[in-house]
Amino acid sequence: METSKIYRGRLIDHVQLVVADLAASKKFYRAVFEVIGIPMGGEADDYFWADELFVSSVGSPASAGVLTGRTHLAFQANDRAAVERFHAAAIAAGGKDNGAPGERPYHPGYYAAFVLDPDGNNIEVVHHGPASRSASAIEITF
């Protein structure tokens, strides 16, 4: 990495995954979000969402009837223990190991784990090491 600062909340408004089995995906992501402390934002028969992630079935009007291709998503963790809990919970919820918890060479302190979700998306949970945040999140009301 070329910088010692990273910013969140300025580039991605939301990401949509269109999945083959919404129930399997909901089980997987519910387990992942519980471990990293993110509540589900809402759900219906053909979708669910949490923060910037929107997941829908292929039959949902929001999907245009097409599955998304393989995607890599990285979620933030507050500590290394959350990375380890994510890995265990995601596998227990139907995920497939794609990289056990451990240090990665991306920058000092980068500790992550990778699990493939039920549709083969590469889901990572990462803790960047000791750092100072200006805020835990950006809250937008309208």
Side-chain angles (χ1 to χ4, degrees), residues 130-141:
S132 174
R133 288 180 176 253
S134 61
S136 62
I138 296 169
E139 182 177 333
I140 300 169
T141 53

Side-chain angles (χ1 to χ4, degrees), residues 8 18 122 133:
R8 298 292 184 245
V18 180
N122 186 28
R133 288 180 176 253

Side-chain angles (χ1 to χ4, degrees), residues 38-125:
I38 302 295
M40 285 289 227
E43 61 185 283
D45 292 340
D46 58 349
Y47 68 84
F48 64 91
W49 64 273
D51 284 6
E52 296 87 1
L53 181 64
F54 183 84
V55 180
S56 66
S57 66
V58 73
S60 170
S63 76
V66 179
L67 295 171
T68 49
R70 183 175 168 161
T71 302
H72 172 82
L73 300 175
F75 301 134
Q76 299 176 62
N78 289 329
D79 54 38
R80 288 179 172 211
V83 172
E84 293 166 8
R85 289 191 310 271
F86 149 74
H87 191 258
I91 289 171
K96 181 180 175 187
D97 176 44
N98 198 36
E103 292 259 349
R104 301 297 193 258
Y106 311 132
H107 68 71
Y110 196 109
Y111 190 83
F114 302 83
V115 176
L116 299 178
D117 78 2
D119 283 81
N121 294 298
N122 186 28
I123 307 304
E124 172 185 4
V125 168

